[in-house]
Amino acid sequence: MTNHEGSLYLDLDKKLDAVDPKLIPGLASALRRRAFLYQLVDSVRRVKFVEAIGSRDISPERANGTSPLFDPVRGALLLRDNGQFEEACWLTFLFVHFGRHPVSGYRYTAEFYSALGKREPWTFDETSKNVPAVRKWLDKNEAHIKRGTHRGFGNHRKYQSLSGTRKNGTGDAIDTYIQWVRAHGDHETLFAIARDQSDGTPEGMFEWLYQSMRSVTTFGRIARFDFLTMLGKLGLADIRPGRPYFDSTTNGPNKGARLAFDREDPLSIAELEKRTTTLGNQLGVGMQEMEDALCNWGKNPTKYVFFKG
């Protein structure tokens, strides 16, 4: 038995046995089924990891962009626990915007957030008051931040621009994010409005925020989904996705879902979402985990490949 085939794997495998084979014709092959279950185990573990680190002591250096210990996820948890709710949400946004590069890690987030250690950090309050200055700072320091060969945005943001002033650059993303939050007052009020404007459930609030966040430049389906699910995992908002949020503009999870559910006639996006939700409910797995697992499994459906996510 491999490291993946522990109690979680066995539990999911047993539950998958109870699923109507007609729902998942693409998992009839033993190789496909096993690779899918491995990806699902990884996805569940990634979500649980964020929950786990929140129960541990966190060094203050995790929120210090000039420290080699900087970690925006742990930093956001630290800020949350220290009563700095606005800043925790802001650091979460920066983490999702810049992502985690496979080699340089969180360097882009650290160097922006700390302003390279040459001025006051670009906190939420400081940035909100000085968006033109942030744009100018980004343009002035773009070449320095992009130095070397081992640098860049994370996988989900790899085509993003650092520019402060060019259209759809980092400056636009930051500016429109702040406008979105400030239009409702602050993060706490924004989440309260989401509760009041929806049915009040975690899924309804997620849906409202997901649609409302369309005004944030460069934050398409993946970025909005990543940001809102991270807010939920960090305990910053009582939200979770009630569906996998597929759309026609992204191929990753769509491809995996089609491989699992399609027969002869191509299924609509709505039907793929419906079947993914049904399968997730039968497996006892959330929509974030299902979306992530289908995306990674679809890249190589017969052979397990580890993805850091």
Side-chain angles (χ1 to χ4, degrees):
M1 181 174 289
T2 70
N3 290 334
H4 278 81
E5 295 173 337
S7 59
L8 177 56
Y9 177 97
L10 295 175
D11 180 60
L12 291 171
D13 190 39
K14 182 177 180 180
K15 289 177 179 177
L16 196 58
D17 280 337
V19 175
D20 185 349
K22 294 179 181 178
L23 175 68
I24 47 174
L27 296 179
S29 157
L31 285 176
R32 284 188 169 204
R33 177 188 174 110
R34 191 178 192 187
F36 172 73
L37 285 171
Y38 280 2
Q39 294 295 354
L40 196 54
V41 167
D42 281 354
S43 297
V44 172
R45 286 175 174 171
R46 273 191 283 270
V47 172
K48 290 185 178 297
F49 174 75
V50 176
E51 298 172 356
I53 62 176
S55 64
R56 305 169 188 168
D57 290 337
I58 300 174
S59 166
E61 293 300 287
R62 295 298 193 179
N64 178 2
T66 63
S67 171
L69 293 178
F70 176 75
D71 180 323
V73 176
R74 288 177 171 84
L77 287 167
L78 178 73
L79 292 166
R80 180 202 68 184
D81 293 344
N82 288 346
Q84 296 173 269
F85 185 78
E86 288 287 277
E87 201 61 18
C89 294
W90 172 238
L91 188 53
T92 303
F93 167 75
L94 294 179
F95 159 65
V96 173
H97 170 71
F98 291 109
R100 185 180 188 278
H101 188 268
V103 178
S104 60
Y106 302 123
R107 181 162 73 80
Y108 274 19
T109 307
E111 294 192 345
F112 171 80
Y113 189 54
S114 68
L116 295 170
K118 297 179 179 179
R119 65 176 311 283
E120 289 298 308
W122 289 121
T123 62
F124 183 68
D125 185 59
E126 182 73 8
T127 304
S128 299
K129 295 175 181 177
N130 297 284
V131 171
V134 171
R135 288 180 176 273
K136 184 177 180 180
W137 184 91
L138 281 165
D139 281 347
K140 179 181 178 181
N141 293 285
E142 180 178 2
H144 174 72
I145 295 173
K146 291 168 66 175
R147 69 193 181 278
T149 56
H150 300 307
R151 76 317 188 255
F153 288 80
N155 183 55
H156 283 177
R157 304 286 288 168
K158 58 187 176 183
Y159 300 114
Q160 179 63 45
S161 164
L162 270 173
S163 174
T165 52
R166 287 196 297 273
K167 185 178 180 181
N168 296 327
T170 291
D172 276 358
I174 288 172
D175 192 350
T176 53
Y177 176 78
I178 288 172
Q179 288 182 43
W180 175 58
V181 175
R182 288 305 193 197
H184 302 89
D186 55 26
H187 289 92
E188 188 172 8
T189 304
L190 171 62
F191 302 152
I193 291 172
R195 182 180 60 250
D196 294 341
Q197 293 295 313
S198 67
D199 60 9
T201 65
E203 295 83 3
M205 291 173 62
F206 189 103
E207 178 72 28
W208 188 92
L209 288 165
Y210 180 87
Q211 300 301 336
S212 175
M213 201 179 182
R214 288 181 181 274
S215 62
V216 179
T217 299
T218 80
F219 266 57
R221 186 204 77 86
I222 295 176
R224 279 180 284 153
F225 190 81
D226 287 350
F227 174 64
L228 295 175
T229 53
M230 184 57 70
L231 287 178
K233 285 186 289 188
L234 292 173
L236 294 169
D238 184 19
I239 57 176
R240 62 175 173 266
R243 59 187 180 93
Y245 288 84
F246 298 152
D247 69 22
S248 59
T249 65
T250 50
N251 295 321
N254 296 11
K255 178 182 177 181
R258 290 197 186 284
L259 286 169
F261 304 120
D262 263 356
R263 296 184 181 87
E264 295 180 359
D265 299 326
L267 300 174
S268 67
I269 295 295
E271 185 62 25
L272 289 174
E273 283 203 335
K274 179 181 178 181
R275 295 188 185 206
T276 299
T277 303
T278 298
L279 180 59
N281 289 339
Q282 292 186 30
L283 297 178
V285 174
M287 289 301 101
Q288 181 184 2
E289 296 93 320
M290 289 298 299
E291 189 266 359
D292 183 57
L294 285 169
C295 182
N296 291 331
W297 174 72
K299 296 171 185 176
N300 198 329
T302 60
K303 182 179 179 181
Y304 167 73
V305 178
F306 176 70
F307 295 96
K308 290 184 178 181

